[in-house]
Amino acid sequence: MNKKQKRIEQITRLHSPLRCPICKGDLKVEDNSRLICSHLHSFDITKQGYINVLTHKVNSHYDKELFEARKQIITKTKLYNPLQQLIISHIKELSPGQMIADAGCGEGSHLHMILEKLNVTEQKYVGVGLDIAKEAVKMAAGNDDEWIWLVGDLANLPFTDHSVDVLLNILSPSNYQEFKRVLREGGIVIKVVPRPNYLFELRSALSKNNHYDNQEILQLFKEHFHVISQKSLHYTVELSSEEKKQLVKMTPLTWSGQENTKRLFIEGDHNQITVDLEVIVGKIK
C-alpha cells in the first residue's frame, strides 16, 4: 500500500469528513487521488502523501534545516519525553474519542510519537497534523506513512464543526474561535505553553534579557475554555554537544544570536537543558 492509499484509508476512518476551506462543504475522496467538495473545489493528495488545503500563498520563515533539527531533538533525545507522556495520560483519562488533531504540528514528530505510544495497546486513534509551513508537512508525510498531513491555516481549519476529539496545540500559535468550532461535545484541547525557565541555558547564553511571562497566554485560554487540568512540567535533560547544535538550529530564539555566542553554547561544558512548560487542558464552556 503506497502513501496515497494509506492516507485515503485514514481519511475514511474519520467520523466526520474534512471541510473545504473555500466553501465550507464536505470534502470527499475522488478517484483515490484527491479531495473534492460539491462545488468542485479540489485538493490533490500528493505522491508524498500530504494534502495542501491552503487558499493563499504563505512565506514561512521556518526552513527545512530547522524542521530537520526539530525532528532530531524530539525523536532522538529525551528532551520532550515527559511532556509526551503527560499528554498521553490526559488523552487516555479525558477523551473517549478517536480523532486527534495537532494544530501547528511542524514536521509531525510530537504527533507521530504520541500516536505510536497510544496505539501500541489499541489501534483506535486516527491522527491529523496541520501546519502552515509546506516544508514541514512535506517532511511529516515523508517520515510517517500512517496519518493524515495537511498544509493549512489555523484561522480556517479544514475540519467540519464538532468533529475533533482531541486538539493538540504544542508550543504553537492558536485560534480559539476555530478550536471551539471544531471540537466535538466533550472534546478536549491540550495547549502547551513555555514557562519562564524554558530552555533557560540557551536563552541565557544568547541574551541577558531573557525574561518570559506566560500569564497573558494562560488567561486568554481560560477566557475561552473551561480548564479541567493545569500542570507545570519542570525538569532537566543532558544533551551532547551535537544535540545542543541541533537545539540551536531548531528554535527561532537563536535567529538573532551571534555565531560566536552559539558556538560557545554548543561547545561549553554545561550540558543540562531545562524544560519548563505549562500543560493546560480545556473543554468548551
Side-chain angles (χ1 to χ4, degrees), residues 21-32:
I22 300 172
C23 69
K24 318 308 181 191
D26 292 350
L27 286 171
K28 303 293 179 63
V29 176
E30 183 178 84
D31 297 332
N32 283 333

Side-chain angles (χ1 to χ4, degrees), residues 32 65 98 144 183 208 237:
N32 283 333
E65 184 181 44
Q98 67 161 197
D144 183 285
L183 274 180
K208 293 181 180 179
V237 174

Side-chain angles (χ1 to χ4, degrees), residues 11-277:
I11 290 169
T12 59
R13 285 186 62 197
L14 297 176
H15 49 61
S16 296
L18 296 173
R19 188 179 89 159
C20 176
I22 300 172
C23 69
K24 318 308 181 191
D26 292 350
L27 286 171
K28 303 293 179 63
V29 176
E30 183 178 84
D31 297 332
N32 283 333
S33 64
R34 60 179 179 162
L35 298 179
I36 191 168
C37 71
S38 60
H39 290 90
L40 303 184
H41 300 124
S42 178
F43 306 91
D44 291 338
I45 304 172
T46 68
K47 64 180 180 180
Q48 294 92 348
Y50 69 89
I51 309 163
N52 190 336
V53 294
L54 272 180
T55 58
H56 57 282
K57 188 175 180 180
V58 171
N59 294 317
S60 174
H61 298 294
Y62 297 79
D63 59 16
K64 185 176 181 179
E65 184 181 44
L66 180 146
F67 292 117
E68 287 282 10
R70 188 176 185 265
K71 177 191 171 189
Q72 290 299 313
I73 288 292
I74 295 173
T75 64
K76 304 300 183 183
T77 78
K78 298 180 180 180
L79 197 66
Y80 294 103
N81 286 13
L83 170 64
Q84 292 168 359
Q85 289 299 333
L86 180 57
I87 290 173
I88 288 167
S89 66
H90 281 320
I91 293 172
K92 287 182 175 180
E93 178 186 356
L94 300 171
S95 176
Q98 67 161 197
M99 180 178 171
I100 302 175
D102 187 354
C105 68
E107 83 306 328
S109 299
H110 280 307
L111 181 62
H112 172 82
M113 294 182 73
I114 288 166
L115 284 164
E116 188 174 56
K117 292 168 184 173
L118 278 169
N119 282 326
V120 165
T121 54
E122 48 182 324
Q123 301 292 319
K124 78 170 189 175
Y125 295 100
V126 179
V128 183
L130 176 139
D131 202 281
I132 204 166
K134 179 181 175 180
E135 194 64 54
V137 176
K138 183 178 179 180
M139 190 180 299
N143 293 333
D144 183 285
D145 287 339
E146 296 297 327
W147 313 119
I148 303 162
W149 302 103
L150 305 170
V151 183
D153 192 344
L154 289 178
N156 186 16
L157 292 173
F159 308 132
T160 54
D161 295 354
H162 315 304
S163 61
V164 177
D165 300 299
V166 179
L167 187 60
L168 304 179
N169 188 230
I170 303 172
L171 301 171
S172 175
S174 306
N175 187 300
Y176 292 142
Q177 293 301 328
E178 278 292 271
F179 288 6
K180 288 188 287 187
R181 179 185 66 79
V182 303
L183 274 180
R184 74 168 180 81
E185 184 178 355
I188 60 173
V189 55
I190 303 176
K191 183 168 180 64
V192 180
V193 181
R195 284 170 47 83
N197 288 320
Y198 179 59
L199 304 183
F200 176 78
E201 296 79 10
L202 176 59
R203 288 168 40 232
S204 296
L206 296 174
S207 173
K208 293 181 180 179
N209 182 20
N210 56 27
H211 177 72
Y212 174 78
D213 188 339
N214 64 15
Q215 292 308 302
E216 284 190 17
I217 296 174
L218 294 175
Q219 182 57 40
L220 184 61
F221 184 95
K222 293 173 181 178
E223 290 174 7
H224 286 275
F225 297 98
H226 170 64
V227 174
I228 55 177
S229 175
Q230 182 174 347
K231 294 183 179 180
S232 300
L233 277 180
H234 185 94
Y235 56 91
T236 61
V237 174
E238 184 170 333
L239 298 183
S240 67
S241 293
E242 180 58 34
E243 290 166 344
K244 287 193 292 182
K245 182 178 179 180
Q246 299 303 317
L247 182 68
V248 166
K249 290 180 180 179
M250 72 164 247
T251 173
L253 292 171
T254 63
W255 284 355
S256 60
Q258 299 294 320
E259 291 303 316
N260 185 56
T261 304
K262 297 177 190 177
R263 181 178 58 79
L264 289 173
F265 169 77
I266 292 167
E267 297 175 358
D269 294 333
H270 193 86
N271 295 325
Q272 294 293 327
I273 303 298
T274 299
V275 176
D276 191 27
L277 299 168

